[in-house]
Amino acid sequence: MISAGIVGGAGYTAGELLRILLRHPEVHLDFVFSTSQAGKSVSSIHQDLLGETDLHFSGSLNREVDVLFLCLGHGNSEKFLNEHAFSETTRIIDLSTDFRESRPEHAFVYGLPEINRAEIQQAQFLANPGCFATAINLAILPLASKGMLEDEVHVNGVTGSTGAGTSLSGTTHFSWRDNNFSAYKAFEHQHIKEITENVKQLQTGFSSDINFIPNRGNFSRGIHVTSYTSFQGSLETARELYESFYADAAFTFLVDQEVHLKQVVNTNKCLLRVQKFGNKLVITSVLDNLLKGASGQAVQNMNLMFGMEETTGLRLKATYF
Ligand SMILES: NC(=O)c1ccc[n+]([C@@H]2O[C@H](COP(=O)([O-])OP(=O)(O)OC[C@H]3O[C@@H](n4cnc5c(N)ncnc54)[C@H](OP(=O)(O)O)[C@@H]3O)[C@@H](O)[C@H]2O)c1
C-alpha cells in the first residue's frame, strides 16, 4: 500500500481526492492537513463522506509519506514546500500553477499523460495541469504533434463555479451566478502560458497566438471548450490523426456526435469531437474540472508514478441525469 497525505484538506480539489483515494485499492490515506479545520472530522466538512471515513483533519504532517498532494491556491505550494521538508523519497503532486511552467530551479514534470507518460512514470515531482489547460491541450495537441498548427487558435470555454474554489466571491455567490453568464480574463487567462509551452514542446516553431475567452457558466461542475483553427486537410485526415494520437489514452476519447457535460461530469474522461467547416477545424472538448481537470488526473498521475494500472480507482460513474 502507498501512504498518502493531502495538504489544503478543506478545499474542493482535496475533497475530490479524498473521495477517490478512500476507495483506491492501493492507497492508505495517512493524513489530511488543514490550517482552517484541524481537529474536526473530515466528514463534517466533506459531508458526503459521512460513514465513509473516521479521519480527522490534522494540524501536523507525516514527512515520510510515499505521496503528498498539494491542494493549495496559486503561490502557496512553493511557499509550503520551502517551509516544510519531506523525505527524499516522497513524491509530490502539486495541483496549483506554481510548477507548471518549466524553470531551471525546479524538477517538476508536467502531468499530462497523453503527452508525457514516460516522464511521469519516472517523476518524483509532478505539476498537475490546469482544468482549462487540459481541455484546450487535449483539443489542439494532436495538431501540434504533426506541425499542423499553421495559424492562430481561437478558443471559447465555459467553466462551472467549483473551478473558482471554495472561497466565496462576488462571481461565485449563488444569486449572481444563477441565471447568469459572463466572460472573464479574455486573452489573459493564466493557463495560456502552460498551453503555449505544451504546444511548443510538440511543434517547436509555433509562434501564433492562442486566443482564449473563458466564461463563467451557471452550473457547478464541468468545462466545455470549443477551439478552432485553419486546417487544410480533410476531416477524415483530422479524425485519423486524433484517433491515432489518443489510441493509448486511458481517459481521452474521440467521439462522432455532439459532446456535452453530462457525459463527463463525475468521471475522469475527456471527450473530443472534431468537425470541419470550410478551411476551419473545430474541436469541442468536455471534462469535469475537478476530475480530469484536477484530482482525477492527479490520481491518474500517481498511478503512473507508482507503476500501477493507470485507471486504478478511477472507474467512476457519470451522474448523467
Ligand atoms: N477547483 C478546480 O476546478 C481546480 C482545477 C484545477 C486546478 N485547481 C487548482 O488546485 C488548487 C486548489 O484548488 P481548490 O479549488 O481546491 O481551492 P479551494 O477550494 O479554495 O481550497 C484551497 C485550500 O487551500 C488552503 N488555503 C487557503 N488559503 C491558504 C493560504 N493563504 N495558505 C495556505 N493554504 C491556504 C485551504 O485549505 P485548509 O483550510 O484546509 O488549510 C483551502 O481550502 C488551486 O491552486 C487551483 O487553482 C483547481
Side-chain angles (χ1 to χ4, degrees), residues 131-143:
C131 45
F132 265 132
T134 299
I136 298 167
N137 271 327
L138 293 176
I140 63 176
L141 290 180
L143 295 172

Side-chain angles (χ1 to χ4, degrees), residues 146-219:
K146 297 286 182 203
M148 286 178 161
L149 283 178
E150 295 163 353
D151 202 351
E152 292 179 290
V153 183
H154 300 274
V155 186
N156 195 292
V158 191
T159 182
S161 56
T162 54
T166 45
S167 303
L168 191 60
S169 72
T171 54
T172 56
H173 193 294
F174 177 81
S175 51
W176 189 90
R177 192 93 176 202
D178 189 41
N179 285 326
N180 207 355
F181 190 93
S182 61
Y184 68 108
K185 294 186 184 171
F187 300 100
E188 291 177 343
H189 193 277
Q190 61 275 16
H191 292 180
I192 294 171
K193 286 186 193 157
E194 63 188 272
I195 298 163
T196 305
E197 186 170 327
N198 285 300
V199 167
K200 286 183 175 169
Q201 178 187 332
L202 299 188
Q203 184 174 326
T204 334
F206 179 78
S207 58
S208 303
D209 289 332
I210 294 174
N211 304 308
F212 175 33
I213 314 281
N215 302 282
R216 303 182 185 94
N218 173 20
F219 50 88

Side-chain angles (χ1 to χ4, degrees), residues 264-284:
V264 291
V265 167
N266 276 331
T267 80
N268 197 46
K269 291 179 195 169
C270 176
L271 299 188
L272 300 165
R273 184 187 195 192
V274 178
Q275 295 168 281
K276 197 168 179 219
F277 300 96
N279 68 348
K280 300 276 190 297
L281 196 71
V282 182
I283 311 104
T284 310

Side-chain angles (χ1 to χ4, degrees), residues 7-15 32-38 57 70-77 79-80 94-98 100 128-132 159-167 190-191 223 288-291 293-295:
V7 173
Y12 282 149
T13 57
V32 187
F33 180 84
S34 173
T35 48
S36 62
Q37 308 298 335
F57 290 108
L70 297 177
C71 297
L72 302 171
H74 305 314
N76 292 323
S77 294
K79 185 165 175 277
F80 179 87
D94 178 39
L95 279 78
S96 81
T97 52
D98 290 9
R100 289 184 198 151
N128 210 56
C131 45
F132 265 132
T159 182
S161 56
T162 54
T166 45
S167 303
Q190 61 275 16
H191 292 180
I223 281 185
D288 184 324
N289 56 295
L290 288 172
L291 289 168
S295 309

